[in-house]
Amino acid sequence: MNKIPSKAEILEWIEQNPTLTAKRDIAKAFGIKGSARIDLKQLLKELQAEGHLEKRKKSYQDPDRLPPVSVLVVTGPDSQGDLFAKPMEWHGEAREPNVLLIPKAGDPALGEGDRILARLTLVKDDTHAYEGRLIRRIGTNPKKLLGVFRKRSEGGRIVPIDKGADREWTVSEGDINGAKDGELVEAEQAGPKGRMGLPKARITDRLGDPSAPKAVSLIAIHQHGIPDAFPDDVVAQADAATPAGLDGREDLQELPLITIDPSDARDHDDACYAHADGDPKNEGGHVVWVAIADVAAYVTPDSALDREARKRGNSTYFPDRVVPMLPDRLSGDLCSLHEGVPRACIAVRMVLDAKGNKLSHTFHRGLMRSPASLHYEEVQDAIDGRSNERTKPLLEPVLEPLYAAYAALKLARAERQPLDLDLPERRVELAEDGTVKSINFKDRLDAHRLIEEFMVLANVAAAETLLAKKVPLLYRIHEEPSPDKLESLRETAQASGFTLAKGQVLQTRHLNKLLNDAAGTDEAELINLSTLRSMTQAYYGPAHIGHFGLALRSYAHFTSPIRRYADLIVHRALITAHGWGKDGLRPEDFESLEQTGAHISDTERRSMVAERDTTDRYLAAYLSERVGNEFTGRISGIARFGVFVKLDETGADGLLPMRALGREYFHHDAETQTLRGSDTGMIISLGQRVKVRLAEAVPVTGGISLELLELEDQKIKQGSRSPAGRNPRRKSNKAKRKKDKIKRKVSRTRR
């Protein structure tokens, strides 16, 4: 009788040979024949009953492993652009594995919701358990699209508003849903895409006139799936809330905690106050108070308000509207630290030495009453000697001590050396009717920097307190650049005549030296942009990793709970850590911190993309009346299909398609991010100065097309390239290369 393998031997075989898992394969591997197959069958049944194996048709699989060929659903790209998927079917007890898709040349583009058949390879990686290669696409979920409906004699068509969409969709008469010609509509794919003709769609929602100025943000809201209407129970709960009183709180109403915000701020969730430290042992020191609205007192765990706030993750800000995380009853009233009214808060008192180093801090759950709600410009004016009747009585007792504490914090910042990028921020100003009045770059005042430094300090204090008290929390995590991106930045710096040292642990001070060396040169913008692109995207999570960009070991968001769910989690953690009440974090909240962090990181990215798309559309609308005008700018991106240019005047990003680059053919080098002309050898690269002509600006999509006039002050010959955009010498060059190859073969044969 053949020797029957042990259970461990069978499991080891299946793990090492995932494609040979039928009973016949296992029997052959262990030399089992005849009646011994009955014993093997019984052993496999026992492994199945014990949960070690699962029988699928005629093969046996480890239930915590995916088969080598699996059906996956694409979940979308991460912040680095890598495409991931998850299994359509999962029977394991362990967490559902993540699959990194490895594209091959010629693979079709895949998007979120696509279902594919893929060949999997087991890997050991922190972010994924498998690598997958596409075999074929087997279907998709109904695709959502936003576009303008165009009526036809029978049915109609939808013209997409996405810049990347190049195909229209056809709508049958029965799927129009009452839409009128020219209306903005939301639709979904109707049936499978055919190989011939346009894809079909059915209209699910009518959104009105797309040309109305204030439809711009509405387009972004619907396009990115941002919830913009509160459910009835959420609004009812917010409306039923009453102002918190002094019960169980410290009375902080005598502290002159002022709010400093933009002039058009819609909410005020932070206030501050500072004074000189009276302790003789801390000569020249300061005491800084930062008070934050106590949102946790109103939004309790697992309430309707809490579930909706978590779903939204954060508020989303557009030039003409805000999609808030919380209903206006809270965000604009009870949780806003308005002037002259008592408001619940969680405050931190921080003691600094003369050099801005934090010596100690304590947290307090209190009731405050702000004496003034000021904006940045009037605060800065007061410090610069231009007080108004609101700021004059506050100048000596409140504003000057704030700036004195800020001066100390600047010393500590200079020592810490957080990343110091010089990237101006655009501001879209709208007229009353919603049309674009102007595009300006926001001024960076000391008043802005003062508040930023105070908020960073308070966020550090929150993280350190919870870390010391061993209470789990969501940190704000920013990891250092990957080696590949760092090497790319190093090459860009070297090509520009600068140095980023190798062979040392990267610190922000090294990047700051590079930025300082480039400051004031023609390459300054290129170095700033390249440094920004080398950075990873910050996210939320329970791991204590630190914040690279701020050069801080412990950092958590605490200062904006009205507009960020992460801050609300930190507030609840502080309540639990100090035993302030029953509205802190619950045990089940601790267990789900990782999932919560991943979710709100996703909603943050969603809002960023929606806000950026809206700004692009407003910029296109602003420039649409200036088609034909000439502008200067700098090359900010290189792609196979063209060149991106950031215009100096507005900061708008426009596209120079390949056909607009001149008469010759250009070869794209993805590694060096350059284009090389086949005739002249001219190289187009990041950071080069250009003069362009505005060829087209489409407000509905936000697309801006340009024509190249000058590159680094050299005029470019206009006119089309050779037919079909091909290099006329490519054919002869190819023939010459083939001839040279034959010569080399003949030479080797003769030798």
Side-chain angles (χ1 to χ4, degrees):
M1 186 175 181
N2 307 108
K3 180 184 176 184
I4 301 297
S6 67
K7 292 179 181 179
E9 288 172 331
I10 291 177
L11 291 174
E12 184 179 1
W13 164 260
I14 289 175
E15 182 177 1
Q16 294 175 356
N17 301 274
T19 61
L20 301 173
T21 57
K23 186 176 72 173
R24 180 182 57 189
D25 297 325
I26 299 170
K28 184 178 179 181
F30 291 97
I32 299 172
K33 300 178 181 178
S35 61
R37 288 174 176 267
I38 298 174
D39 296 324
L40 174 62
K41 184 177 181 180
Q42 181 60 36
L43 193 60
L44 292 172
K45 281 186 176 181
E46 290 176 12
L47 286 169
Q48 184 181 355
E50 293 166 5
H52 295 298
L53 294 179
E54 178 185 7
K55 189 173 183 181
R56 298 180 184 171
K57 296 185 179 179
K58 294 183 179 180
S59 65
Y60 291 85
Q61 311 278 339
D62 181 342
D64 283 334
R65 291 278 301 273
L66 288 174
V69 176
S70 295
V71 178
L72 309 175
V73 59
V74 178
T75 56
D78 65 0
S79 58
Q80 306 301 316
D82 292 328
L83 197 61
F84 285 89
K86 64 181 181 180
M88 286 289 291
E89 184 181 11
W90 175 243
H91 298 282
E93 294 181 2
R95 184 178 177 183
E96 184 181 68
N98 212 14
V99 181
L100 172 65
L101 298 179
I102 308 295
K104 305 190 298 286
D107 278 357
L110 297 175
E112 184 176 354
D114 283 347
R115 288 189 297 141
I116 62 171
L117 192 67
R119 191 175 305 279
L120 306 184
T121 303
L122 185 67
V123 296
K124 292 183 178 179
D125 193 278
D126 292 337
T127 60
H128 56 279
Y130 295 88
E131 289 180 351
R133 292 189 179 273
L134 178 70
I135 297 175
R136 61 183 173 86
R137 190 188 330 210
I138 61 174
T140 61
N141 287 324
K143 180 179 179 180
K144 295 285 186 181
L145 66 145
L146 195 69
V148 177
F149 176 67
R150 295 299 180 192
K151 190 77 174 70
R152 297 288 188 267
S153 56
E154 291 185 7
R157 290 188 180 181
I158 296 175
V159 181
I161 62 170
D162 294 337
K163 281 185 284 188
D166 58 355
R167 297 189 71 186
E168 296 181 359
W169 294 66
T170 181
V171 183
S172 65
E173 192 69 38
D175 290 329
I176 291 178
N177 196 21
K180 297 178 181 178
D181 185 62
E183 275 192 328
L184 185 67
V185 296
E186 189 174 47
E188 66 180 18
Q189 180 181 323
K193 288 184 181 179
R195 292 190 177 183
M196 304 294 291
L198 296 175
K200 296 180 179 179
R202 68 173 60 88
I203 294 173
T204 57
D205 198 8
R206 298 166 57 193
L207 304 177
D209 181 7
S211 63
K214 292 190 177 181
V216 174
S217 55
L218 192 64
I219 289 172
I221 290 167
H222 282 267
Q223 184 179 2
H224 296 283
I226 297 173
D228 63 335
F230 287 103
D232 291 343
D233 58 341
V234 174
V235 174
Q237 187 178 346
D239 288 345
T242 56
L246 259 176
D247 187 28
R249 298 178 177 276
E250 292 183 47
D251 191 348
L252 306 177
Q253 295 180 82
E254 296 302 316
L255 291 179
L257 290 154
I258 63 168
T259 65
I260 306 176
D261 294 289
S263 57
D264 59 351
R266 297 166 171 89
D267 52 55
H268 309 277
D269 52 9
D270 58 81
C272 56
Y273 166 60
H275 61 83
D277 188 6
D279 188 345
K281 295 179 181 178
N282 187 26
E283 186 176 352
H286 307 267
V287 174
V288 173
W289 283 84
V290 172
I292 307 298
D294 189 356
V295 176
Y298 302 98
V299 184
T300 53
D302 203 33
S303 62
L305 276 167
D306 181 47
R307 290 191 296 271
E308 184 67 17
R310 185 186 186 279
K311 175 183 175 182
R312 296 177 178 229
N314 48 264
S315 298
T316 306
Y317 292 83
F318 300 105
D320 65 326
R321 73 186 74 206
V322 176
V323 180
M325 186 179 80
L326 300 172
D328 187 64
R329 166 66 172 154
L330 297 182
S331 61
D333 187 8
L334 294 179
C335 294
S336 195
L337 307 178
H338 291 306
E339 180 178 326
V341 293
R343 285 288 180 257
C345 67
I346 294 180
V348 55
R349 180 185 186 271
M350 299 168 285
V351 180
L352 313 179
D353 66 15
K355 294 183 178 180
N357 300 303
K358 182 166 64 65
L359 303 178
S360 64
H361 67 267
T362 54
F363 279 89
H364 309 261
R365 198 174 198 186
L367 192 72
M368 62 163 283
R369 187 190 299 262
S370 177
S373 294
L374 307 177
H375 59 78
Y376 290 113
E377 290 76 14
E378 65 180 334
V379 168
Q380 191 64 52
D381 283 346
I383 291 296
D384 294 341
R386 300 184 297 275
S387 298
N388 60 26
E389 56 185 33
R390 284 165 48 79
T391 57
K392 189 172 183 179
L394 296 169
L395 181 60
E396 186 177 343
V398 177
L399 298 182
E400 288 179 350
L402 282 173
Y403 273 76
Y406 167 59
L409 283 174
K410 283 198 294 185
L411 299 176
R413 177 187 173 90
E415 181 66 27
R416 192 176 86 244
Q417 289 250 352
L419 188 61
D420 191 17
L421 287 169
D422 181 20
L423 297 168
E425 187 179 354
R426 289 173 299 189
R427 178 185 178 87
V428 178
E429 292 191 8
L430 302 180
E432 295 254 342
D433 60 357
T435 56
V436 181
K437 183 168 63 174
S438 64
I439 306 289
N440 297 315
F441 290 97
K442 293 183 180 179
D443 291 331
R444 290 278 296 155
L445 307 172
D446 274 350
H448 292 98
R449 299 184 181 95
L450 177 150
I451 293 299
E452 287 175 4
E453 286 301 312
F454 283 7
M455 297 305 112
V456 167
L457 195 65
N459 288 335
V460 170
E464 289 178 349
T465 291
L466 294 172
L467 188 64
K469 291 180 177 290
K470 298 182 179 179
V471 176
L473 74 149
L474 281 177
Y475 293 96
R476 181 63 167 175
I477 300 168
H478 184 227
E479 300 182 49
E480 65 182 48
S482 67
D484 289 344
K485 289 192 173 183
L486 194 58
E487 185 59 32
S488 177
L489 174 61
R490 189 174 282 114
E491 290 172 357
T492 300
Q494 189 173 1
S496 303
F498 305 106
T499 302
L500 180 60
K502 223 175 180 181
Q504 58 186 347
V505 177
L506 181 70
Q507 296 179 355
T508 47
R509 65 181 68 249
H510 302 138
L511 297 174
N512 284 340
K513 183 180 184 305
L514 172 63
L515 294 167
N516 289 334
D517 290 345
T521 69
D522 290 340
E523 290 78 18
E525 191 171 348
L526 169 63
I527 297 300
N528 270 272
L529 188 63
S530 299
T531 303
L532 177 65
R533 288 183 172 177
S534 73
M535 293 296 109
T536 60
Q537 189 161 2
Y539 61 96
Y540 296 104
H544 184 219
I545 295 175
H547 198 294
F548 175 79
L550 291 175
L552 292 168
R553 289 186 298 173
S554 303
Y555 195 66
H557 276 165
F558 156 73
T559 54
S560 295
I562 291 178
R563 61 185 180 90
R564 292 188 305 224
Y565 193 77
D567 302 57
L568 178 56
I569 292 289
V570 171
H571 276 232
R572 288 176 180 164
L574 288 167
I575 291 168
T576 298
H578 291 91
W580 284 334
K582 297 180 180 179
D583 45 357
L585 286 182
R586 305 164 301 166
E588 54 265 42
D589 297 326
F590 292 132
E591 295 170 5
S592 62
L593 280 179
E594 187 169 348
Q595 294 92 323
T596 299
H599 168 70
I600 60 179
S601 296
D602 288 342
T603 61
E604 178 187 45
R605 286 190 284 271
R606 177 182 68 185
S607 292
M608 288 172 60
V609 173
E611 291 166 0
R612 184 188 65 210
D613 286 354
T614 299
T615 300
D616 287 348
R617 288 188 172 100
Y618 274 123
L619 284 167
Y622 181 66
L623 292 170
S624 62
E625 297 179 359
R626 301 172 68 183
V627 170
N629 288 13
E630 296 179 3
F631 298 89
T632 58
R634 192 179 290 274
I635 293 175
S636 59
I638 305 282
R640 283 186 304 175
F641 50 82
V643 173
F644 290 98
V645 173
K646 186 175 288 293
L647 303 181
D648 294 332
E649 181 182 331
T650 60
D653 290 300
L655 175 66
L656 279 167
M658 282 294 191
R659 65 177 181 275
L661 296 181
R663 295 179 178 177
E664 62 183 318
Y665 180 86
F666 283 88
H667 297 278
H668 175 239
D669 189 329
E671 189 173 336
T672 60
Q673 285 286 285
T674 59
L675 295 174
R676 180 186 290 272
S678 59
D679 296 334
T680 63
M682 179 176 69
I683 294 178
I684 298 177
S685 60
L686 292 174
Q688 289 180 317
R689 298 289 305 169
V690 294
K691 179 183 282 188
V692 295
R693 179 183 292 114
L694 180 61
E696 185 181 33
V698 186
V700 174
T701 65
I704 296 172
S705 296
L706 308 169
E707 295 173 359
L708 183 61
L709 301 177
E710 293 181 9
L711 177 70
E712 296 289 354
D713 297 327
Q714 298 295 314
K715 292 190 180 296
I716 303 298
K717 290 183 179 180
Q718 298 300 306
S720 60
R721 294 181 287 170
S722 54
R726 297 182 182 276
N727 178 9
R729 300 193 308 185
R730 175 181 267 189
K731 188 172 181 180
S732 60
N733 288 343
K734 186 176 180 181
K736 185 176 183 301
R737 287 196 299 271
K738 186 175 181 180
K739 187 176 179 181
D740 290 342
K741 187 176 181 181
I742 293 172
K743 278 184 179 179
R744 288 194 297 272
K745 283 185 177 179
V746 171
S747 177
R748 284 198 299 269
T749 304
R750 286 173 177 170
R751 287 202 298 269

